[in-house]
């Protein structure tokens, strides 16, 4: 299974995608988890990857023995922390150039504006809180680097946020994985997780557009 096909399968049928990766052996299974979390948090070009649902689904499989829960947590922590750190350095060294180029289609003016406001409002704490919001999770460390935030300030909240976010979703999947309702309605729960996590972003974009219309 190639990485691109795994992403497509993960978006379409997360249970089958992860089961297929596990069947390929532990290196492939943990490797796919690491890569998706790292790329979503660490590469500003891929904010749409399903980090929340992947962590929940991986925890679900850890309950059934497909993953070792402690190894899974370690892999997720490493991916989340290293990913944000990579994104910070991309923003620090290339941020202005990337924004001016306009080549990152996901980095719309509305999303940049929302992420900048989030960063301005919460300061360093935004690095921690931003973990729990898709798109913001990807853009905040990038903008923090581009905006000149000190690395030693960033890294503390990066570690706290990465460990908390990844642990929360993995452990939710792990502890609820044995409940019959969860097992029978797994796909619906994944859709619900994605929908709920996107609500703040959608609301923010709508408010931004309404605010612009009122100013015209």
């Amino acid at each position: 299974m190639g990485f691109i096909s795994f992403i497509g399968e993960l978006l379409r049928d997360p249970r089958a995608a992860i089961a297929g990766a596990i069947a390929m052996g532990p290196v492939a299974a943990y490797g796919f988890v690491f890569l998706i979390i790292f790329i979503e948090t660490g590469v500003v070009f891929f904010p749409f990857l399903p980090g929340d649902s992947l962590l929940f689904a991986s925890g679900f499989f850890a309950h059934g023995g497909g993953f070792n829960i402690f190894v899974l947590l370690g892999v997720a922590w490493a991916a989340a922390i290293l990913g944000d750190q990579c994104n910070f350095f991309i923003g620090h060294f290339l941020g202005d150039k990337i924004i001016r180029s306009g080549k990152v289609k996901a980095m719309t003016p509305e999303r940049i504006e929302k992420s900048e406001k989030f960063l301005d409002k919460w300061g360093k704490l935004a690095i921690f809180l931003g973990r729990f919001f898709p798109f913001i999770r990807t853009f905040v460390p990038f903008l923090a680097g581009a905006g000149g935030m000190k690395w030693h300030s960033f890294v503390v909240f990066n570690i706290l946020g990465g460990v908390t976010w990844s642990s929360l979703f993995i452990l939710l999947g792990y502890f609820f994985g044995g409940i019959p309702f969860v097992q029978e309605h797994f796909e619906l729960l994944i859709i619900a997780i994605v929908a709920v996590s996107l609500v703040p972003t959608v609301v923010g974009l709508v408010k931004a557009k309404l605010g612009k219309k009122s100013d015209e």
Side-chain angles (χ1 to χ4, degrees), residues 12 19 24 28-29 46-47 50 56 73 94 97 101 114 121 123 129 186 212:
R12 188 183 67 82
M24 294 174 64
F46 296 96
F56 180 87
L73 285 169
L94 301 171
K97 183 177 180 180
S101 72
K114 181 175 176 60
K121 179 178 180 179
L129 296 175
F186 180 80
K212 284 185 177 180

Side-chain angles (χ1 to χ4, degrees), residues 22-181:
I22 291 172
M24 294 174 64
V27 173
Y30 291 116
F32 279 127
V33 172
F34 180 92
L35 279 174
I36 288 179
I37 299 302
F38 177 84
I39 291 173
E40 186 206 11
T41 58
V43 183
V44 74
F45 304 96
F46 296 96
F48 52 82
L49 294 180
D52 297 336
S53 56
L54 171 66
L55 292 171
F56 180 87
S58 298
F60 174 90
F61 274 89
H63 177 88
F67 287 110
N68 178 291
I69 185 63
F70 299 108
V71 175
L72 178 63
L73 285 169
V75 168
W77 294 346
I81 293 169
L82 292 174
D84 253 31
Q85 192 59 71
C86 175
N87 213 345
F88 176 85
F89 285 130
I90 291 174
H92 180 76
F93 292 108
L94 301 171
D96 290 339
K97 183 177 180 180
I98 290 174
I99 292 172
R100 286 198 306 268
S101 72
K103 292 181 179 179
V104 184
K105 301 305 181 184
M107 192 180 287
T108 62
E110 292 83 3
R111 287 171 179 160
I112 292 176
E113 182 182 2
K114 181 175 176 60
S115 299
E116 287 177 335
K117 286 182 177 178
F118 189 83
L119 193 56
D120 290 339
K121 179 178 180 179
W122 296 102
K124 298 170 187 174
L125 191 58
I127 307 303
F128 175 87
L129 296 175
R131 288 281 190 176
F132 299 90
F133 303 97
F135 291 97
I136 286 179
R137 172 163 58 242
T138 303
F139 295 147
V140 161
F142 173 84
L143 293 173
M149 180 180 287
K150 299 295 183 183
W151 178 81
H152 60 79
S153 299
F154 172 84
V155 72
V156 173
F157 290 95
N158 174 26
I159 293 172
L160 291 174
V163 170
T164 303
W165 169 65
S166 55
S167 298
L168 174 64
F169 281 95
I170 285 174
L171 293 177
L172 281 173
Y174 182 77
F175 287 112
F176 286 94
I179 299 175
F181 178 85

